[in-house]
Structures are given as structure tokens and as C-alpha cells.
Amino acid sequence: EDETTSLDNEGRAVITEHEGVDGVRVVVINVYCPRVDPDNPERLPYKLNFLTAVRERCVSLINNGKEVILCGDFNCALDRLDSAYLEEMPTFPRESETRNILTEFVTSHFSPTSPSNCILVDSFRYLHPQQTGAYTCWCTKTDSRKLNYGQRIDYIFISRSVCSTLTNSSILQHHYGSDHCPVVSEFTLSLTSSSSLPSLCSSHFSEFAGKQ
């Protein structure tokens, strides 16, 4: 219980559940995974535990017949194709464990022969399996965005059966305002509208009133 509370203390996940017009239940999990800096290696166990908890939640949801869309900043490049720092990847031990956990349940290149434990699919790579230079984050100190010397660490992962509804997946590198850029995936899923806002919606909080 203490470990579960600790994982929740930083507010790194927002989970919403939606009902499709055909009765399918779609759970959207939006995460901001912990970052592990070279001068702060003690954060690695926390990050690994966080991702393990995310994986177990996804497995449980799918085993209960729900579709899952897992998205956010994972602070980890899944594949060498997702990083401009190719020569550094083999000597990136602090993140290899992170990739190991992610690739236990996420596949970048989905096919009918993909392992059954890979319950989620990288939506961008599903449509663009070999595209290079598709980065979502750049170092602001070196202004590396001008040369597109970055990494793809922002993902939209989807459960396997949602792949058939995926129509587009894009990286909006021309959108500025952060060291990251937006990522977008579009689906033909039809969801029913809710009659009320969630209780934790920011519009219910006075400090955000009139701002969103």
C-alpha cells in the first residue's frame, strides 16, 4: 500500500473511461513518466515501478474486455530509429531497463505474429514503420531543434484491435512553445458524449474558473 501511495503522490497519470456507440469501452491513460538524469540516478527505481504499475493496469483493463489508449511523455526512446543520438544508444544503461519494461507490452512494428504479451502498438510506427527524423523532443540549451537533433519520447500506444480504426498519426514539429511538440493520432472510433463533466475537471476548481 505504501508503494502504491508513493507512485500516486506525484500525479503522473490521468485515466478516463469512455463508452463507444457500439458498446465498446475505451480507457485513455495519459502519463508523464519520471525522468532519470545522470546526476539523479536514484529516480530509476521509481520510474521502473511506475511503468510496471502502468503495464499491470493496461493488462488488467484489456483482460476485462476494454480497449486502451496509453499516451504521454515516456522520457525514453523505444528504438534506435527514435533517437538522433545513435552512437550513444548502446551506452545508455540508465534507460535500457526502461525500454525493457516498455517493450514487454508495447511493440513498435505490429504484425499478426507479434508476441501475445505485446498488448499495445505504437500508433506512429504502425503507419510509419521506417520514418526517420520523427522526433518530438529537443535540447533547448543547444538549440538542437533547428537541426532536428532530438528524440521521439512522446507516444500514443493503442490496444491491438484499435489498430483497425487508426487513420492518421502525426508529429507536429512545426508547433513551438516547448522543448516538446504535439503528437496526434486519429481514429474512426465513435464515442458517446457524457452528460456531465468529470468531478475532477479543472472547471470545477475556482482557481481555474474562466481559464479553460
Side-chain angles (χ1 to χ4, degrees), residues 70-93:
L70 172 64
C71 56
D73 175 359
F74 288 82
N75 269 311
C76 175
L78 268 189
D79 191 90
R80 293 186 68 185
L81 196 61
D82 298 324
S83 174
Y85 320 130
L86 295 180
E87 70 281 1
E88 299 175 15
M89 293 294 281
T91 58
F92 212 33

mmCIF file of all heavy atoms in Angstrom, residues 70-93:
data_model
loop_
_atom_site.group_PDB
_atom_site.id
_atom_site.type_symbol
_atom_site.label_atom_id
_atom_site.label_comp_id
_atom_site.label_asym_id
_atom_site.label_seq_id
_atom_site.Cartn_x
_atom_site.Cartn_y
_atom_site.Cartn_z
ATOM 1 N N LEU A 70 -2.844 4.453 -24.426
ATOM 2 C CA LEU A 70 -1.851 4.918 -23.451
ATOM 3 C C LEU A 70 -0.967 5.951 -24.137
ATOM 4 O O LEU A 70 -0.314 5.650 -25.134
ATOM 5 C CB LEU A 70 -1.012 3.734 -22.960
ATOM 6 C CG LEU A 70 0.203 4.044 -22.084
ATOM 7 C CD1 LEU A 70 -0.208 4.688 -20.764
ATOM 8 C CD2 LEU A 70 1.016 2.768 -21.831
ATOM 9 N N CYS A 71 -0.958 7.164 -23.609
ATOM 10 C CA CYS A 71 -0.230 8.227 -24.290
ATOM 11 C C CYS A 71 0.503 9.112 -23.302
ATOM 12 O O CYS A 71 0.210 9.111 -22.108
ATOM 13 C CB CYS A 71 -1.184 9.065 -25.146
ATOM 14 S SG CYS A 71 -2.579 9.764 -24.221
ATOM 15 N N GLY A 72 1.456 9.881 -23.819
ATOM 16 C CA GLY A 72 2.158 10.832 -22.972
ATOM 17 C C GLY A 72 3.642 10.888 -23.239
ATOM 18 O O GLY A 72 4.150 10.359 -24.230
ATOM 19 N N ASP A 73 4.343 11.533 -22.311
ATOM 20 C CA ASP A 73 5.796 11.673 -22.349
ATOM 21 C C ASP A 73 6.387 10.529 -21.533
ATOM 22 O O ASP A 73 6.239 10.482 -20.318
ATOM 23 C CB ASP A 73 6.180 13.033 -21.756
ATOM 24 C CG ASP A 73 7.687 13.233 -21.643
ATOM 25 O OD1 ASP A 73 8.445 12.309 -21.999
ATOM 26 O OD2 ASP A 73 8.097 14.312 -21.173
ATOM 27 N N PHE A 74 7.078 9.615 -22.222
ATOM 28 C CA PHE A 74 7.632 8.436 -21.546
ATOM 29 C C PHE A 74 9.112 8.606 -21.205
ATOM 30 O O PHE A 74 9.704 7.722 -20.588
ATOM 31 C CB PHE A 74 7.433 7.191 -22.421
ATOM 32 C CG PHE A 74 6.007 6.747 -22.467
ATOM 33 C CD1 PHE A 74 5.108 7.349 -23.338
ATOM 34 C CD2 PHE A 74 5.545 5.752 -21.627
ATOM 35 C CE1 PHE A 74 3.772 6.963 -23.376
ATOM 36 C CE2 PHE A 74 4.214 5.351 -21.655
ATOM 37 C CZ PHE A 74 3.328 5.958 -22.529
ATOM 38 N N ASN A 75 9.689 9.737 -21.568
ATOM 39 C CA ASN A 75 11.085 10.020 -21.253
ATOM 40 C C ASN A 75 12.004 8.848 -21.587
ATOM 41 O O ASN A 75 12.902 8.487 -20.815
ATOM 42 C CB ASN A 75 11.226 10.407 -19.777
ATOM 43 C CG ASN A 75 11.109 11.907 -19.571
ATOM 44 O OD1 ASN A 75 11.758 12.694 -20.255
ATOM 45 N ND2 ASN A 75 10.258 12.311 -18.649
ATOM 46 N N CYS A 76 11.763 8.254 -22.736
ATOM 47 C CA CYS A 76 12.566 7.121 -23.171
ATOM 48 C C CYS A 76 12.340 6.910 -24.667
ATOM 49 O O CYS A 76 11.194 6.884 -25.119
ATOM 50 C CB CYS A 76 12.188 5.857 -22.406
ATOM 51 S SG CYS A 76 13.027 4.365 -22.974
ATOM 52 N N ALA A 77 13.425 6.763 -25.418
ATOM 53 C CA ALA A 77 13.317 6.419 -26.837
ATOM 54 C C ALA A 77 13.231 4.903 -26.951
ATOM 55 O O ALA A 77 14.105 4.186 -26.466
ATOM 56 C CB ALA A 77 14.522 6.947 -27.603
ATOM 57 N N LEU A 78 12.173 4.420 -27.584
ATOM 58 C CA LEU A 78 11.941 2.969 -27.650
ATOM 59 C C LEU A 78 12.932 2.260 -28.556
ATOM 60 O O LEU A 78 13.312 1.121 -28.304
ATOM 61 C CB LEU A 78 10.529 2.692 -28.171
ATOM 62 C CG LEU A 78 9.398 2.540 -27.171
ATOM 63 C CD1 LEU A 78 8.156 2.047 -27.877
ATOM 64 C CD2 LEU A 78 9.774 1.605 -26.047
ATOM 65 N N ASP A 79 13.355 2.913 -29.624
ATOM 66 C CA ASP A 79 14.138 2.251 -30.653
ATOM 67 C C ASP A 79 15.231 3.194 -31.134
ATOM 68 O O ASP A 79 15.107 4.418 -31.000
ATOM 69 C CB ASP A 79 13.208 1.865 -31.817
ATOM 70 C CG ASP A 79 13.867 0.948 -32.824
ATOM 71 O OD1 ASP A 79 13.779 -0.276 -32.665
ATOM 72 O OD2 ASP A 79 14.465 1.473 -33.779
ATOM 73 N N ARG A 80 16.302 2.638 -31.698
ATOM 74 C CA ARG A 80 17.376 3.488 -32.218
ATOM 75 C C ARG A 80 16.857 4.427 -33.305
ATOM 76 O O ARG A 80 17.388 5.524 -33.493
ATOM 77 C CB ARG A 80 18.507 2.623 -32.764
ATOM 78 C CG ARG A 80 19.236 1.830 -31.694
ATOM 79 C CD ARG A 80 20.435 1.107 -32.255
ATOM 80 N NE ARG A 80 21.466 2.034 -32.670
ATOM 81 C CZ ARG A 80 22.579 1.657 -33.293
ATOM 82 N NH1 ARG A 80 22.783 0.389 -33.588
ATOM 83 N NH2 ARG A 80 23.488 2.551 -33.640
ATOM 84 N N LEU A 81 15.808 4.026 -33.996
ATOM 85 C CA LEU A 81 15.211 4.868 -35.025
ATOM 86 C C LEU A 81 14.566 6.117 -34.422
ATOM 87 O O LEU A 81 14.319 7.096 -35.119
ATOM 88 C CB LEU A 81 14.157 4.056 -35.796
ATOM 89 C CG LEU A 81 13.655 4.583 -37.142
ATOM 90 C CD1 LEU A 81 14.811 4.700 -38.130
ATOM 91 C CD2 LEU A 81 12.579 3.676 -37.699
ATOM 92 N N ASP A 82 14.316 6.066 -33.108
ATOM 93 C CA ASP A 82 13.632 7.164 -32.423
ATOM 94 C C ASP A 82 14.592 8.147 -31.770
ATOM 95 O O ASP A 82 14.167 8.988 -30.968
ATOM 96 C CB ASP A 82 12.684 6.600 -31.358
ATOM 97 C CG ASP A 82 11.601 5.731 -31.950
ATOM 98 O OD1 ASP A 82 11.129 6.060 -33.049
ATOM 99 O OD2 ASP A 82 11.236 4.718 -31.329
ATOM 100 N N SER A 83 15.873 8.044 -32.067
ATOM 101 C CA SER A 83 16.847 8.933 -31.435
ATOM 102 C C SER A 83 17.934 9.327 -32.414
ATOM 103 O O SER A 83 18.449 8.496 -33.160
ATOM 104 C CB SER A 83 17.471 8.258 -30.207
ATOM 105 O OG SER A 83 18.511 9.062 -29.679
ATOM 106 N N ALA A 84 18.308 10.606 -32.398
ATOM 107 C CA ALA A 84 19.410 11.070 -33.239
ATOM 108 C C ALA A 84 20.760 10.709 -32.619
ATOM 109 O O ALA A 84 21.784 10.778 -33.289
ATOM 110 C CB ALA A 84 19.321 12.583 -33.429
ATOM 111 N N TYR A 85 20.729 10.323 -31.348
ATOM 112 C CA TYR A 85 21.973 10.005 -30.653
ATOM 113 C C TYR A 85 22.337 8.534 -30.869
ATOM 114 O O TYR A 85 22.575 7.781 -29.933
ATOM 115 C CB TYR A 85 21.842 10.282 -29.156
ATOM 116 C CG TYR A 85 21.075 11.531 -28.808
ATOM 117 C CD1 TYR A 85 20.044 11.503 -27.881
ATOM 118 C CD2 TYR A 85 21.372 12.752 -29.420
ATOM 119 C CE1 TYR A 85 19.339 12.643 -27.554
ATOM 120 C CE2 TYR A 85 20.672 13.898 -29.103
ATOM 121 C CZ TYR A 85 19.661 13.856 -28.170
ATOM 122 O OH TYR A 85 18.958 14.983 -27.854
ATOM 123 N N LEU A 86 22.348 8.100 -32.115
ATOM 124 C CA LEU A 86 22.531 6.679 -32.424
ATOM 125 C C LEU A 86 23.791 6.098 -31.798
ATOM 126 O O LEU A 86 23.781 4.996 -31.256
ATOM 127 C CB LEU A 86 22.567 6.469 -33.945
ATOM 128 C CG LEU A 86 21.289 6.794 -34.704
ATOM 129 C CD1 LEU A 86 21.477 6.550 -36.196
ATOM 130 C CD2 LEU A 86 20.126 5.954 -34.194
ATOM 131 N N GLU A 87 24.885 6.859 -31.863
ATOM 132 C CA GLU A 87 26.140 6.321 -31.364
ATOM 133 C C GLU A 87 26.139 6.195 -29.840
ATOM 134 O O GLU A 87 26.948 5.470 -29.272
ATOM 135 C CB GLU A 87 27.319 7.194 -31.811
ATOM 136 C CG GLU A 87 27.396 8.564 -31.162
ATOM 137 C CD GLU A 87 26.437 9.576 -31.786
ATOM 138 O OE1 GLU A 87 25.696 9.201 -32.728
ATOM 139 O OE2 GLU A 87 26.429 10.724 -31.330
ATOM 140 N N GLU A 88 25.235 6.895 -29.172
ATOM 141 C CA GLU A 88 25.196 6.856 -27.717
ATOM 142 C C GLU A 88 24.255 5.780 -27.184
ATOM 143 O O GLU A 88 24.335 5.408 -26.022
ATOM 144 C CB GLU A 88 24.753 8.222 -27.165
ATOM 145 C CG GLU A 88 25.692 9.362 -27.546
ATOM 146 C CD GLU A 88 25.162 10.702 -27.095
ATOM 147 O OE1 GLU A 88 24.244 10.724 -26.259
ATOM 148 O OE2 GLU A 88 25.668 11.731 -27.583
ATOM 149 N N MET A 89 23.360 5.280 -28.017
ATOM 150 C CA MET A 89 22.347 4.351 -27.542
ATOM 151 C C MET A 89 22.916 3.087 -26.894
ATOM 152 O O MET A 89 22.432 2.651 -25.866
ATOM 153 C CB MET A 89 21.391 3.979 -28.672
ATOM 154 C CG MET A 89 20.523 5.125 -29.142
ATOM 155 S SD MET A 89 19.370 5.671 -27.883
ATOM 156 C CE MET A 89 18.128 4.399 -28.031
ATOM 157 N N PRO A 90 23.962 2.463 -27.459
ATOM 158 C CA PRO A 90 24.472 1.244 -26.829
ATOM 159 C C PRO A 90 25.051 1.489 -25.436
ATOM 160 O O PRO A 90 25.210 0.555 -24.656
ATOM 161 C CB PRO A 90 25.568 0.778 -27.803
ATOM 162 C CG PRO A 90 25.211 1.415 -29.097
ATOM 163 C CD PRO A 90 24.631 2.744 -28.724
ATOM 164 N N THR A 91 25.417 2.749 -25.128
ATOM 165 C CA THR A 91 25.974 3.058 -23.816
ATOM 166 C C THR A 91 25.005 3.931 -23.023
ATOM 167 O O THR A 91 25.361 4.944 -22.463
ATOM 168 C CB THR A 91 27.323 3.773 -23.964
ATOM 169 O OG1 THR A 91 27.119 4.963 -24.746
ATOM 170 C CG2 THR A 91 28.333 2.885 -24.652
ATOM 171 N N PHE A 92 23.762 3.500 -22.999
ATOM 172 C CA PHE A 92 22.705 4.256 -22.339
ATOM 173 C C PHE A 92 22.076 3.381 -21.260
ATOM 174 O O PHE A 92 20.880 3.142 -21.260
ATOM 175 C CB PHE A 92 21.667 4.636 -23.390
ATOM 176 C CG PHE A 92 20.978 5.952 -23.118
ATOM 177 C CD1 PHE A 92 21.634 7.000 -22.503
ATOM 178 C CD2 PHE A 92 19.663 6.139 -23.510
ATOM 179 C CE1 PHE A 92 21.002 8.207 -22.282
ATOM 180 C CE2 PHE A 92 19.008 7.343 -23.294
ATOM 181 C CZ PHE A 92 19.691 8.382 -22.677
ATOM 182 N N PRO A 93 22.881 2.840 -20.329
ATOM 183 C CA PRO A 93 22.386 1.817 -19.398
ATOM 184 C C PRO A 93 21.276 2.279 -18.484
ATOM 185 O O PRO A 93 20.419 1.496 -18.100
ATOM 186 C CB PRO A 93 23.646 1.449 -18.598
ATOM 187 C CG PRO A 93 24.523 2.667 -18.692
ATOM 188 C CD PRO A 93 24.272 3.194 -20.061
#
